Amino acid sequence: MLYIVPTPIGNLEDITFRAINTLKKVDRILCEDTRHSKRLLDHYEIKKPLTSFHSHSNEKQIANIIEKLKSGENIALISDAGTPGISDPAWALVKALHEEKLEYTALPGPTAFVPALNLSGFPTDRFFFQGFLPLKKGRQTLLKNWKENLGDYTIVLYESPHRIEKTLGQLSDIFEPTRQIALVRELTKIHEECIRGSLEEITENKSNITLKGEFVVLIAPENFG
Ligand code: SAM
């Protein structure tokens, strides 16, 4: 059996009893970065063999995991933060397990976009989750498409601190200056913050905004505010 187990996105207390019990009972834990995950596992005194599984894991590595499952091992899959499969590796493995008719389950738990949506104050009944924008080509086309077709939705995207300025610039090129956006930063950590305003206000005030740490960017529906 494979268990997909969400882990904290900053605050180590954000983990369910079931997640801890699962990590304690499995034979092996698959993680993106074994050194990173060791901090969490040490905190909860979980000592298990760790095997690396990340976005570059290939078919051979997936076949190895399948072999282990077939031989009767119980395995947990975690990522560096939050829910595996949400802008993190999981899908290729789950697809393979599905094809092999092997048993797996997904535990509910921490993920960044849900608290970000709630903190933003934007409508949560209809939202579009992008995850990361394409790194190079296709960003402008995607944003234009959202402006034309997703006016009724709150749009949620993940962004790294290195690209946040570039992304704000590109949003300003496409969306109207009055469009409301929220920058939700460092969720569950000491410097957690939700900065909200029109695109124009936020870009004009950029020098007063800390553009460090991890960000979720939200774009409000067209007629909001
Ligand atoms: N699997 C994770 C989840 O369930 O949300 C997402 C992992 S993805 C590789 C990392 C991105 O998630 C970051 O660049 C940021 O956009 C967002 N993120 C993760 N932790 C965050 C936090 N504590 N505060 C704000 N955003 C966060």
Side-chain angles (χ1 to χ4, degrees), residues 9 81-83 86-88 111-112 132 158-159 184 186-187 189 214-216:
I9 57 167
T83 300
I86 302 299
S87 299
D88 265 344
T111 189
F132 291 105
Y158 283 169
E159 197 47 282
V184 179
E186 295 286 85
L187 277 160
K189 303 182 196 175
E214 300 197 89
F215 280 92
V216 182

Side-chain angles (χ1 to χ4, degrees), residues 76-125:
L77 169 67
I78 63 176
S79 63
D80 281 353
T83 300
I86 302 299
S87 299
D88 265 344
W91 178 72
L93 178 59
V94 174
K95 182 168 168 281
L97 296 189
H98 190 80
E99 282 162 9
E100 293 276 341
K101 298 193 173 39
L102 288 168
E103 253 193 297
Y104 58 90
T105 192
L107 277 60
T111 189
F113 74 89
V114 175
L117 261 170
N118 276 332
L119 282 182
S120 74
F122 296 161
T124 53
D125 53 344

Side-chain angles (χ1 to χ4, degrees), residues 43-54:
H43 183 80
Y44 287 103
E45 296 176 354
I46 298 167
K47 215 169 158 38
K48 296 285 169 179
L50 304 181
T51 301
S52 126
F53 180 76
H54 43 72

